[in-house]
Each structure stands twice: as structure tokens, then as C-alpha cells.
Amino acid sequence: MILEAREVKYTYSDGTAALKEVELNISKGQFTVLLGPNGSGKTTLFKVITGLIKPFRGEVRVEGRPFEEYTKEEIYRKVGFVFQDPNDQLFAPTVGEDVAFGPVNLGLSRSEVELRVKDSLDKVGIPNLANKPIHYLSYGQKKRAAIAGVLAMKPDLMILDEPTAGLDPAGVREIMRLLVKLNREEGITILMATHDVDLVPLYANGIFVLYEGKVVLNGTPQEVFSEKEIVRGAGLRLPRVAHLAEILVKKDSIRMDRLPLTIGEARRMVVSALKKDETRYEK
Amino acid sequence: MVKVQVKRMIKESFLTVDAIAQRDNVFTRMDARLKVLFCMSILGTIIVLPGLRLPVSVVALTFTAVVMIRTPFKVILARLVPPLALGLIFLVFMLLTEGQNRLFTFHILDIEVSGYREGFLIGLTILARITASMAIVMFLSVTTPIYELGRALMWFRIPEVIVEILLLTYRYIFVLWDEGMRIREAQSLRLGYYVGSSPGGWKRSLRSTFTLMAMVVIRAYDRADHTFSAMSLRGYNGKLARNTYGAWNRIDVKSFVSCFVLVAALIFASL
């Protein structure tokens, strides 16, 4: 396990219990999604597992060792956090300087810093923006620059707070493809928060559903979305395709072995149902 | 109406100047350290040396340079209007109060008003110095992006904390400007800035302005908190800006010599 959270509790000073005994296990190399409606505690949980705030109770372990045993430098080499609003994260005047910020703080040599900046910008697809002032970037470019800044620290685990929020469909697709590439090609474990349920089955290996500060479900997308009532009770919904399949089963008596979560799965299911229907008709 | 237009022009000019400094031209390609050195020596000379020749030559040269790199006339005017207004007030004040040799005399409601030659010359010198200083600062701002200026200032051993504040201000002023504008638009859409014959209209506008200012301060505080978290996560150790300058290259040395000759020629011509 690269990350474990055990019975993590956190209450804000106004008395709001944001996290109530949260349990979380993330395996190395996984693409995990933390699903939850607004106010479910996703950002608070991320702040706890990145060490920005201390839990009132419970423990966070990174690669089997308690968080407290790591120095700041060690932990931030392993765990990177991308904020929801890139303007919070991009504080240097130019993209290149912002990406260089982490490596400089790690005490790397100038040539190594330059190499990491170039490498990170190449990976996120904005190598030509190194000298561009941040305020001239589009929102999508800012998101990429923010990811590059964290990538330059070469983390084993990258945590992203709603990376697709505020992006147009093309922007969402690009960012998700980038994250999948980083996960598969660079071997970086990804943990991202979202409430966009349609995205999840396409990219995630594992899901945790957080509701009112508690993990109410976890498992593969198939396992999680099979628990329709719990998903709906947690202020979420099924992916559109799964919802359509549910209606087809209920109202049109189409048979299916399992709930389709992607368009591909749904297509196969419908084609197979049509074929069965044709055979029956011919007989 | 004219007042509102001038105000808007001045505000826009501050945003446009940054965009102009990003363009590629002969001056933006020059080393920022050199431009800082050149502008500071010219500024010092303008303040120290007497006479009108040097400030007038500097104004002419910088105007030629900024026009050459196609700086919009509106921007030039907007940068110069506030200091020029101040200089003209000085000129009038000195003209009417300093000296003995009368240039003219007239009466307003039986009060005799006289203008003096000595006061006129002092006022004119002050006006010329203000204009020349503003022109040289304008030249620096339209040819040097702030982040380059920051790096150059660090190289000149300006305390890091000052440079860091300058760079963070530069980064977040645009974000806060946008947030402020969004709040203002939201207020305007709900008649927060009532323009009309209502006698209480100005009170409403004032209240909206204060709310806007308070909201921008609160949001700036929130953003500062988030930004500090982001910095901590990337190993912030109290150092934000870094000096990235290497050795001077051959072109820089040539430019340095040219600037030195230019400053010397200007001083010689003004003596």
C-alpha cells in the first residue's frame, strides 16, 4: 500500500465534523477516484493525507510508515498535491519559474532543475510556455502548468482535487488522458477527487465514495455502481449509460448479465440483446 | 464624462504595459540588468544636473524609443497625465509665488496676480524633470517584464523580501483585479451602482464600493492561505525568487558600452 488512512477524524473549529473515521487504502500504481458530492469532505481528506492539516484522531501511513516519521522533504518527494484552482498553486511570475520552485527547494543543481522543468513541461504538453507569464495562460494551460509543478518533484503518488472542474469537454478529455499517461507510463499512483460519475468508469481502477465525512463504499467501478441505492443515497448518481441500461432492463425487459458503465459495454449489451431477439423471432 | 474616460485609460494602461513588455523587439531582448543600470543612471543625472537640456533630450529619446516599439499613444498619454498634472500645478504655484522680475500681471476681483520669471524657470525645470523621470520609467516598464526586472533587482542585491513581494504582487494583482471586476459586475447587475436622479444613489454606490473592497481583501487573504499551502507542499524554505543570471555575454557587453557612451554624451551635451 502506498497510502493508508486509519480512522481519520477531523472537525473544524465551527464544530463541523468533516471527516468521521475515514478508512482509505491505495495500492501502488492504481488510478483511484474519490467520489463524493460537494461538502462530503474530499478536500479536507486530501489536506489531511498531504499533511497540510493534522487529524484529530487516526493515522496516515505512506508506504507503511506513519506520516510523522517522514521529514517534510521526504514526504513531498513522495506525495504531490494539485489544487482545484490552479491560481492558488501557480505563484511564480512565469511557468518555468513555477515548475522550478519545487526542485530548487529540494536543493538540486541548476542543470538538474532545468532538466526537470523541461521534462515536466514536455510531459504535460506545454514545452513552449516556459517563459510565459501565468496570467496569460488559459484555464486548461494553468491546470497543466500546476500538474507540471508537482511532476517536477517526481512524486510516487499524485493527489488531484477535482482536476477537471471548470474545463470544457475537450479540456476534461485532455487532462484525463494526461493523468492516465502519467499513471501507465510513469508509474505514478493517481488519487483524484471528482463528482463527475461519468468519468470514473473510463479511467479508474478503484473508487472510494465519501459521504458526510465517511467512506460509504469502495471497490472497482463495477462493484461500486452495482450498489445503486448507496450511490444515490450518497448524493451521487449512476453513470448516464448505466442509468439507461437500468431503464432498458426495467421497462423494455432487456436482459443483461452486468451493469454497463461505458458506451462500449452498453453497445455490446444492446447488440447482444438485439441478436437474441432476432434469433427468437426467426425460430 | 472626460474624467471617467481618463480614469479608465489610466487603469487600462497599467494592464497594457505588461502586454507590451512581453513583445519581442530590440529593447525587450536587451539584458534587464543593463536597462535598470541605464535608467537609474539617467534618473540620477536628471535629478543632480541643472538645466533643461538633459531632461528635454531624455524625453525626446525615450519617446522616440517607445514610439519605435509601437507603444499605443493612449498608453503613453495615460502614463504621463498624472505626473504632468502634478508638474503643471507646481509650475503655476512657482510662477505665481517665486521671484521678483514680473512677467505679467492681471486682476481677479480686485486682487493683483503676478507671474515671475524666476518662478517660471524653477517650475519649468521641475516639470521637465518630472516628465523626463516618468518617461524613463515608462521606457523601462514597456521594455522589461516585471519578472525580469525582479531578477535584475536581485542581481543588484536588492533585499530578496522586496523582490519577492514585487513578484507576488505582479502574479496576484491580475487575479485580484479579475475577482474585483467580477464582484463589481455582479453588484452592477443588481443596481449596486445606481446612476440616476435618486438622491440616495451615491450612498448606494459608496456602500457597494466598500463591500467590494472588503470582499477583495477577504479573498486575497483566502488566496494567500491556499498559496502558502501550495508552497509548503513543494518544500518552501523561505526563498521564493532566485537569481538566474549567468555571466554577461558579448552582446550585453557591447550594449553596456553603447549605453555608457549614450549617458556620457547626454551629460556632456547638457553641460
Side-chain angles (χ1 to χ4, degrees), chain B residues 55-80:
Chain B
V56 170
S57 321
V58 168
V59 170
L61 269 176
T62 44
F63 267 51
T64 314
V66 294
V67 169
M68 213 173 86
I69 58 168
R70 284 181 289 154
T71 307
F73 185 68
K74 254 181 158 181
V75 172
I76 301 175
L77 200 67
R79 293 326 281 286
L80 289 180

Side-chain angles (χ1 to χ4, degrees), chain B residues 190-252:
Chain B
R190 283 181 282 159
L191 303 173
Y193 297 93
Y194 186 66
V195 183
S197 52
S198 161
W202 66 272
K203 269 189 190 169
R204 197 186 302 175
S205 298
L206 204 64
R207 203 180 304 133
S208 296
T209 307
F210 287 146
T211 309
L212 187 149
M213 285 159 69
M215 284 309 294
V216 169
V217 170
I218 291 166
R219 290 193 184 187
Y221 183 83
D222 277 349
R223 204 167 278 284
D225 194 39
H226 295 157
T227 302
F228 182 71
S229 296
M231 287 159 85
S232 305
L233 287 170
R234 288 201 275 156
Y236 179 58
N237 53 13
K239 228 177 169 185
L240 184 63
R242 64 194 174 110
N243 184 0
T244 51
Y245 279 111
W248 294 84
N249 62 37
R250 200 177 287 173
I251 301 165
D252 294 335

Side-chain angles (χ1 to χ4, degrees), chain A residues 87 90 97-98 135-136, chain B residues 18-19 151 171-172 223 234:
Chain A
N87 281 321
L90 303 169
E97 282 180 59
D98 196 90
H135 56 275
Y136 287 115
Chain B
D18 181 64
R151 276 184 226 151
R171 167 69 189 98
Y172 283 105
R223 204 167 278 284
R234 288 201 275 156

Side-chain angles (χ1 to χ4, degrees), chain A residues 50 52 76 81 83 85 87-94 97-102 104-105 110 113 131 133-136 149-150 153, chain B residues 15 18-19 22 147 151 167-168 170-172 174-175 223 226-227 229-237 239-240 242-246:
Chain A
T50 50
L52 287 173
Y76 297 139
F81 183 35
F83 284 63
D85 183 354
N87 281 321
D88 289 335
Q89 191 166 337
L90 303 169
F91 42 80
T94 64
E97 282 180 59
D98 196 90
V99 177
F101 180 78
V104 168
N105 290 335
R110 184 176 282 201
V113 169
N131 293 316
I134 305 288
H135 56 275
Y136 287 115
V150 171
M153 305 282 283
Chain B
L15 296 175
D18 181 64
Q22 305 295 329
Y147 52 89
R151 276 184 226 151
L167 294 179
L168 278 174
Y170 169 72
R171 167 69 189 98
Y172 283 105
F174 297 98
V175 177
R223 204 167 278 284
H226 295 157
T227 302
S229 296
M231 287 159 85
S232 305
L233 287 170
R234 288 201 275 156
Y236 179 58
N237 53 13
K239 228 177 169 185
L240 184 63
R242 64 194 174 110
N243 184 0
T244 51
Y245 279 111

Side-chain angles (χ1 to χ4, degrees), chain A residues 49-62:
Chain A
I49 58 183
T50 50
L52 287 173
I53 51 177
K54 278 190 177 169
F56 283 13
R57 202 186 296 166
E59 187 185 48
V60 177
R61 284 174 171 263
V62 176

Side-chain angles (χ1 to χ4, degrees), chain B residues 15-29:
Chain B
L15 296 175
T16 323
V17 160
D18 181 64
I20 299 167
Q22 305 295 329
R23 291 181 192 162
D24 180 44
N25 58 53
V26 63
F27 295 118
T28 50
R29 279 194 295 271

